[in-house]
């Protein structure tokens, strides 16, 4: 297969591993810088141009679209879809997963476990919002945050109220969430490829910290997940319409609750923690899927509603 790897930087660990895995399985892999793709969207024959030339035909596209380039990246990916190219994760699924509120609403509709989560606009509604998520301690999250930045633990209702007021005053979009204390600063990352969890790791927050992000000093280790956690992760990826996803769970007293579903999960942490060749499994999945005949160009696979 001739594979396009949509990525801004060929030196990133995940990009390098996917190139390696693709080439070692006999494919050619070209790294295409997402932001250097441009296109005439109204043309009768959809195509993509790149650094002055029309891009060649690809059998499959692996999107690795960073949060900061979601909008443009998804437009590029959509153009590949219009050209009938097989894409590992499609643009609608990626857009859906990048919106934290939309994702949680969608997961909730599928009956999946979530921390109690509230969202409000008016400062007048803050006291009731706090009651709605069962009061402090609670977690306040900036919708645009990543790597743990913008996630605040408020230990008292008073602290919660003033932090929410401050965020609202800055016109920042936030959600307020029940604090899953019993998770003890740990979360579980499940890597879903197709309809399987191919690897999972536990991330434990550093001493005195509740956020388990590796960027915040968290440490990763292998973990055995329960059948319920496994099926929750698979159903979550499916609900989002993602074929490859990193599903983050917390172990709560009422079973696994989903924090987030990531459409471009990093491979470094999970490959290092588990010693598994995840990049190889992704390419293997791509080989199987891309070889299934598709009906016609412009027809993406059926997508879940929302
Ligand atoms: N409701 C909660 N209860 C307990 N701990 C939580 C809760 N929400 C978040 N955390 C902790 O804080 C960390 C960061 O939260 P979250 O993953 O929601 O934001 P983020 O990492 O900044 O965003 P992204 O994952 O999109 O980069 C989590 O990994 C988890 O350890
Ligand atoms: Mg996170």
């Amino acid at each position: 297969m001739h594979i396009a790897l949509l990525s801004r930087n060929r030196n990133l660990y995940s990009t390098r591993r996917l190139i390696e895995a693709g080439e070692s399985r006999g494919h050619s892999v070209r790294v295409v810088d997402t932001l250097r793709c441009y296109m005439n969207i109204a043309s009768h024959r959809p195509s993509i141009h790149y650094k002055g030339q029309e891009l060649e035909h690809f059998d499959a596209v692996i999107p690795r679209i960073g949060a900061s380039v979601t909008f443009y990246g998804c437009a590029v990916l959509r153009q590949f879809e219009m050209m009938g190219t097989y894409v590992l994760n499609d643009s609608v699924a990626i857009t859906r997963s990048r919106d934290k509120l939309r994702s949680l609403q969608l997961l909730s509709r599928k009956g999946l476990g979530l921390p109690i989560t509230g969202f409000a606009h008016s400062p007048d509604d803050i006291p009731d919002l706090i009651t709605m998520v069962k009061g402090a301690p609670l977690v306040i999250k900036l919708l645009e945050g990543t790597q743990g930045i913008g996630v605040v633990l408020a230990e008292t209702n008073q602290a919660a109220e003033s932090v929410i007021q401050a965020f609202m005053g800055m016109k920042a979009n936030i959600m307020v969430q029940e604090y899953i204390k019993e998770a003890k600063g740990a979360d579980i990352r499940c890597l879903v490829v197709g309809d399987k969890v191919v690897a999972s790791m536990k991330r434990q927050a550093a001493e005195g910290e509740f956020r388990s992000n590796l960027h915040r000093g968290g440490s990763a280790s292998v973990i055995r997940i329960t059948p319920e956690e496994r099926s929750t992760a698979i159903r979550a990826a499916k609900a989002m319409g993602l074929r490859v996803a990193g599903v983050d769970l917390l172990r709560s007293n009422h079973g696994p609750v989903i924090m987030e579903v990531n459409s471009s999960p990093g491979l470094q942490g999970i490959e290092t923690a588990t010693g598994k060749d995840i990049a190889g499994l992704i390419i293997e999945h791509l080989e199987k899927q891309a070889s299934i005949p598709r009906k016609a160009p412009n027809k993406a696979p059926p997508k879940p509603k929302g």
Side-chain angles (χ1 to χ4, degrees):
M1 283 195 296
H2 188 37
I3 302 170
L5 186 49
L6 272 185
S7 168
R8 294 237 49 217
N9 183 351
R10 61 164 53 247
N11 297 317
L12 296 174
Y13 178 92
S14 304
T15 307
R16 276 195 286 116
R17 285 286 299 121
L18 287 163
I19 300 171
E20 244 169 56
E23 289 178 348
S24 75
R25 296 178 69 97
H27 306 296
S28 56
V29 183
R30 179 172 180 194
V31 177
V32 175
D33 179 351
T34 321
L35 297 189
R36 294 298 306 275
C37 291
Y38 53 101
M39 57 239 153
N40 174 350
I41 57 164
S43 161
H44 291 301
R45 193 184 64 86
S47 64
I48 297 177
H49 285 242
Y50 187 68
K51 299 182 179 175
Q53 278 181 344
E54 185 171 339
L55 267 184
E56 69 269 27
H57 167 81
F58 291 100
D59 301 299
V61 176
I62 302 178
R64 300 279 320 170
I65 297 174
S68 59
V69 299
T70 302
F71 181 77
Y72 197 80
C74 284
V76 171
L77 196 57
R78 214 153 38 232
Q79 189 77 0
F80 277 111
E81 291 162 14
M82 285 173 63
M83 291 155 60
T85 312
Y86 179 84
V87 301
L88 183 61
N89 276 336
D90 68 54
S91 57
V92 176
I94 295 174
T95 313
R96 204 186 267 135
S97 72
R98 288 286 156 88
D99 181 335
K100 289 190 193 193
L101 267 186
R102 181 181 179 187
S103 316
L104 293 185
Q105 286 174 319
L106 200 64
L107 296 169
S108 160
R109 188 152 88 195
K110 296 282 173 188
L112 288 154
L114 303 171
I116 303 170
T117 305
F119 184 60
H121 178 77
S122 167
D124 295 341
D125 299 322
I126 296 174
D128 201 29
L129 180 69
I130 292 176
T131 314
M132 198 189 263
V133 301
K134 304 243 159 69
L138 51 81
V139 176
I140 301 158
K141 289 186 194 183
L142 275 178
L143 293 193
E144 292 80 25
T146 56
Q147 305 182 344
I149 294 167
V151 181
V152 180
L153 174 62
E155 313 231 25
T156 65
N157 285 351
Q158 245 173 343
E161 193 163 336
S162 41
V163 174
I164 299 171
Q165 273 167 353
F167 279 139
M168 283 183 172
M170 292 163 64
K171 307 260 176 266
N173 280 317
I174 49 154
M175 61 188 185
V176 180
Q177 210 164 56
E178 159 197 21
Y179 176 51
I180 310 293
K181 196 173 175 194
E182 59 272 24
K184 299 193 182 80
D187 75 347
I188 299 172
R189 159 61 61 96
C190 299
L191 212 112
V192 178
V193 177
D195 54 5
K196 284 200 189 85
V197 174
V198 296
S200 49
M201 66 172 167
K202 174 172 146 175
R203 292 177 301 200
Q204 179 69 53
E207 193 68 34
E209 170 63 71
F210 79 101
R211 296 165 299 178
S212 59
N213 301 67
L214 302 182
H215 289 95
R216 303 269 72 77
S219 54
S221 58
V222 194
I223 192 174
R224 267 188 80 88
I225 56 170
T226 65
E228 192 188 5
E229 287 161 352
R230 189 173 293 275
S231 77
T232 300
I234 296 166
R235 287 173 61 207
K238 196 158 175 235
M240 306 306 295
L242 293 168
R243 299 180 184 95
V244 170
V247 181
D248 294 340
L249 304 173
L250 291 170
R251 281 186 170 164
S252 83
N253 288 338
H254 45 98
V257 291
I258 303 169
M259 255 190 322
E260 192 185 22
V261 184
N262 197 313
S263 58
S264 289
L267 302 182
Q268 187 162 21
I270 194 128
E271 285 197 339
T272 311
T274 63
K276 288 188 180 166
D277 174 15
I278 311 291
L281 293 171
I282 292 176
I283 300 291
E284 197 185 326
H285 176 76
L286 196 64
E287 286 165 1
K288 287 192 203 127
Q289 294 297 315
S291 62
I292 298 172
R294 270 153 296 130
K295 279 186 198 137
N298 296 342
K299 288 260 165 66
K303 292 172 191 123
K305 287 184 204 138

